[in-house]
Amino acid sequence: MGHEASKTKQIMNDYERSLLTGDGIDIGCGLDPIMPSAKPFDMEDGDANIISQFVSKQFDYVFSSHCLEHMHDPKTAILEWWKLVKKDGYLIFTVPDEDLYELGYFPSLFNDDHKSTFTISKRESWSDRSHNLLELVTSLPESELIKIEVQDTDYDKSIQFHSVYSRDTAYNLINFVRKFSSIFQALGIRDFVASSLSKLFRLPIDQSHNDALAQIFVIVKKV
């Protein structure tokens, strides 16, 4: 996932954008910080699993786009991130939705550094590393959940093929297609070919690679 923060910001409403004011930090921002003024925190700055050991101040907002899934223990990590939020401040973050992004496969076919999958709230999940975000965020002390929603802008559910193959077979098929992706891209038909092959072979595809969103968006206020 390359520029998910920018894609998220583009669909934020005026109220949500207004929360990104004052003193902020963006955890795992890479080259795509949510705001130019936000303090960037990435791997070169320390370990986001234990961020309070590297950042000692609190912020009006703590933002993170697609970083929590890389943490060793999301429950512990999010408590660490919560320590950085001022009273009346906000924790705003996104994670991949397991049914839109992982598509029934874990370890992830599209990012082998993902250590967990996420859903808003399901009785059961196909993933043995699944976390219910509703439980996760409502367990934060002195918290008020402002918003939690699946965001699937530009996501094509007609090619949302879920657990059709074994993971090894799906992985090999995807890698076979990837070998030719540079040729398809040079011809300007990569997206068309990927979509066509996905429909033909019921092949899982990472739609977030382009403009689509396949994520869960969360806002929590510290009260």
Side-chain angles (χ1 to χ4, degrees):
M1 294 189 175
H3 293 85
E4 303 306 297
S6 292
K7 288 156 61 175
T8 300
K9 187 178 178 182
Q10 191 172 19
I11 66 166
M12 280 181 168
N13 60 38
D14 290 341
Y15 167 71
E16 292 160 359
R17 289 194 188 97
S18 75
L19 304 182
L20 301 171
T21 56
D23 202 8
I25 185 172
D26 189 336
I27 302 172
C29 60
L31 299 176
D32 186 34
I34 190 64
M35 296 293 287
S37 60
K39 173 182 172 62
F41 186 94
D42 220 309
M43 289 185 288
E44 62 270 20
D45 303 301
D47 185 350
N49 291 278
I50 48 174
I51 197 169
S52 66
Q53 296 186 23
F54 300 93
V55 181
S56 57
K57 64 177 290 186
Q58 290 185 313
F59 298 86
D60 298 305
Y61 69 89
V62 174
F63 181 85
S64 182
S65 174
H66 294 267
C67 182
L68 192 61
E69 64 271 21
H70 297 277
M71 299 297 99
H72 298 299
D73 180 359
K75 292 180 181 179
T76 301
I78 205 168
L79 282 169
E80 280 282 295
W81 299 2
W82 191 238
K83 292 177 184 177
L84 306 188
V85 183
K86 290 180 180 178
K87 185 179 185 301
D88 294 324
Y90 297 87
L91 172 63
I92 306 168
F93 68 95
T94 61
V95 292
D97 177 273
E98 64 182 33
D99 291 324
L100 296 178
Y101 185 74
E102 269 84 19
L103 296 169
Y105 298 96
F106 199 77
S108 175
L109 291 170
F110 309 118
N111 192 318
D112 57 12
D113 191 57
H114 285 191
K115 297 174 176 62
S116 298
T117 67
F118 296 92
T119 176
I120 289 181
S121 182
K122 292 194 298 192
R123 187 182 298 275
E124 292 183 0
S125 171
W126 51 263
S127 168
D128 61 4
R129 294 286 297 167
S130 179
H131 293 268
N132 280 355
L133 282 176
L134 194 58
E135 294 178 3
L136 198 63
V137 297
T138 55
S139 68
L140 294 172
E142 301 174 318
S143 66
E144 177 187 354
L145 178 60
I146 303 298
K147 187 171 190 175
I148 185 167
E149 69 174 9
V150 172
Q151 294 181 330
D152 58 0
T153 304
D154 293 326
Y155 190 93
D156 183 357
K157 292 191 176 179
S158 72
I159 53 173
Q160 183 188 4
F161 299 117
H162 205 276
S163 303
V164 175
Y165 302 99
S166 70
R167 186 190 180 279
D168 287 346
T169 299
Y171 184 79
N172 290 333
L173 286 169
I174 289 170
N175 279 339
F176 178 78
V177 173
R178 281 174 178 162
K179 289 180 181 179
F180 301 96
S181 63
S182 60
I183 299 173
F184 299 144
Q185 185 171 8
L187 295 172
I189 58 172
R190 185 185 64 179
D191 295 344
F192 171 76
V193 170
S195 177
S196 299
L197 288 174
S198 178
K199 290 179 179 178
L200 181 61
F201 296 106
R202 298 178 62 81
L203 189 64
I205 186 172
D206 175 11
Q207 295 192 48
S208 70
H209 181 76
N210 296 313
D211 295 329
L213 290 175
Q215 65 187 24
I216 302 171
F217 177 70
V218 183
I219 303 174
V220 193
K221 181 178 182 180
K222 183 173 278 189
V223 297

